[in-house]
Amino acid sequence: MRRKGRSVTGKVSIGLKGRKLEHQSVRVEFIGQIELFYDRGNSHDFLSLVKQLEPPGEMARDATYDFDFHQVEKPHETYTGTNVRLRYFLRVTIVRRLSDIVVEKDIAVHTLSQFPELNNSLKMEVGIEDCLHIEFEYNKAKYHLKDTVIGKIYFLLVRIKIKHMELAIIRKEITGTAPNLCTETEQIAKYEIMDGAPVKGESIPIRLFLSGYDLTPTMKEVNKKFSVRYYLNLVLVDEEERRYFKQQEIILWRKGDSKVARQMVTEK
């Protein structure tokens, strides 16, 4: 949910160490930028604000300037992945005749969300004709980053010898645009559900705590540059080391501390 963000305020201090400094201007910028690592020469700014701190002239003594980017809407969360980085940063520039003096400072933006109004359970079936038929059910489809995945797996038909079963959290980072899409798949966590052969009619409980893993909210078509999606991957391995799996997408979100979605900015 997009809301007005908090203001970005601070001070810029310039120390001259007893020397004078001629300049064309002093300015501070607040920038939101997406950088694709395979296209490093072409970053994409989705947010760019500037404030003039000092007109052209000569600085004879140390100076401190206050700045305030008032209630800036920051539409996306900070993210650093395999092939892409989304960052917010402040840039102070002293414009000079020969070479500018530039200093940048990154900040982190967390987008806080409210509880989803609709959050139905997930039910799916996995089967191999006349050999295996199981149903699995997760308690919901949307989880906050400190949530717990709770579910059950029901074995309706078992005619192959299952050695063990595991549940994994998979992150897929998709960058670029069709037809030149690049997908990076990373296994974030793996949880062993069962060790040993199940029998028909057996049910296995699932309880996976998300708080211990490095997760981000789900991101879809961020500025038409990239997406980050998460999946629960159920894997069965038989005694001949054959693997059977089923993936189900889940939505992750960052829980806010009120009913109104807000944005929190913290300095790195």
Side-chain angles (χ1 to χ4, degrees):
M1 183 178 293
R2 295 176 61 176
R3 300 277 185 180
K4 272 192 173 182
R6 291 183 175 181
S7 300
V8 178
T9 63
K11 296 179 183 290
V12 175
S13 296
I14 300 175
L16 300 181
K17 297 181 180 179
R19 295 175 295 180
K20 294 182 179 181
L21 176 65
E22 291 187 7
H23 62 87
Q24 305 302 311
S25 67
V26 179
R27 65 173 183 260
V28 60
E29 300 167 86
F30 181 55
I31 297 171
Q33 186 178 92
I34 296 173
E35 180 185 2
L36 298 171
F37 296 157
Y38 56 77
D39 190 19
R40 289 183 179 273
N42 295 305
S43 56
H44 307 275
D45 294 350
F46 58 87
L47 174 65
S48 182
L49 302 173
V50 60
K51 288 188 179 294
Q52 196 84 358
L53 300 179
E54 184 73 45
E58 182 181 84
M59 298 178 65
R61 60 180 64 87
D62 296 351
T64 299
Y65 306 93
D66 295 317
F67 65 86
D68 182 359
F69 294 100
H70 187 62
Q71 291 187 337
V72 182
E73 183 178 342
K74 298 166 282 295
H76 312 301
E77 174 149 336
T78 304
Y79 175 76
T80 300
T82 305
N83 287 323
V84 64
R85 176 172 67 164
L86 190 151
R87 63 189 287 240
Y88 293 87
F89 60 97
L90 291 162
R91 177 192 291 153
V92 176
T93 304
I94 302 175
V95 182
R96 300 194 300 173
R97 186 171 300 173
L98 295 179
S99 61
D100 296 343
I101 300 173
V102 180
V103 176
E104 294 182 353
K105 180 69 175 180
D106 279 81
I107 64 173
V109 174
H110 286 174
T111 301
L112 305 183
S113 303
Q114 63 183 4
F115 193 84
E117 292 183 4
L118 296 175
N119 200 359
N120 298 326
S121 62
L122 293 174
K123 295 182 180 180
M124 296 192 70
E125 295 185 6
V126 178
I128 304 171
E129 188 174 359
D130 296 329
C131 293
L132 178 70
H133 185 193
I134 65 174
E135 292 181 351
F136 60 91
E137 179 179 357
Y138 304 119
N139 60 329
K140 50 191 175 183
K142 302 173 184 178
Y143 299 88
H144 62 78
L145 300 185
K146 305 297 181 183
D147 215 336
T148 303
V149 177
I150 298 173
K152 269 194 174 183
I153 298 174
Y154 303 93
F155 291 87
L156 305 180
L157 177 64
V158 183
R159 289 180 178 170
I160 58 177
K161 294 182 178 180
I162 301 296
K163 187 169 68 173
H164 72 266
M165 181 166 55
E166 61 192 35
L167 181 67
I169 302 174
I170 303 295
R171 175 162 58 210
K172 291 186 178 182
E173 178 188 283
I174 304 103
T175 54
T177 55
N180 300 314
L181 291 176
C182 177
T183 301
E184 290 287 342
T185 301
E186 179 183 1
Q187 181 175 279
I188 303 299
K190 184 172 71 173
Y191 168 70
E192 187 174 272
I193 298 172
M194 179 196 69
D195 185 11
V199 297
K200 179 180 178 181
E202 188 174 0
S203 65
I204 305 294
I206 297 173
R207 186 175 293 269
L208 177 59
F209 297 94
L210 300 180
S211 59
Y213 303 108
D214 182 20
L215 302 170
T216 70
T218 295
M219 303 178 182
K220 295 184 178 180
E221 295 293 329
V222 177
N223 219 51
K224 297 183 179 180
K225 298 295 180 185
F226 74 96
S227 298
V228 180
R229 296 175 179 266
Y230 288 89
Y231 298 83
L232 293 176
N233 189 41
L234 182 66
V235 180
L236 290 84
V237 182
D238 67 15
E239 290 188 342
E240 298 180 10
E241 297 298 327
R242 291 177 297 194
R243 299 171 70 87
Y244 312 91
F245 65 91
K246 185 73 173 181
Q247 282 190 359
Q248 173 63 49
E249 184 173 9
I250 57 174
I251 304 298
L252 298 185
W253 54 283
R254 191 179 298 279
K255 187 177 181 180
D257 57 4
S258 69
K259 294 182 180 180
V260 178
R262 299 182 293 114
Q263 288 182 312
M264 179 177 67
V265 182
T266 54
E267 185 174 345
K268 281 185 176 179

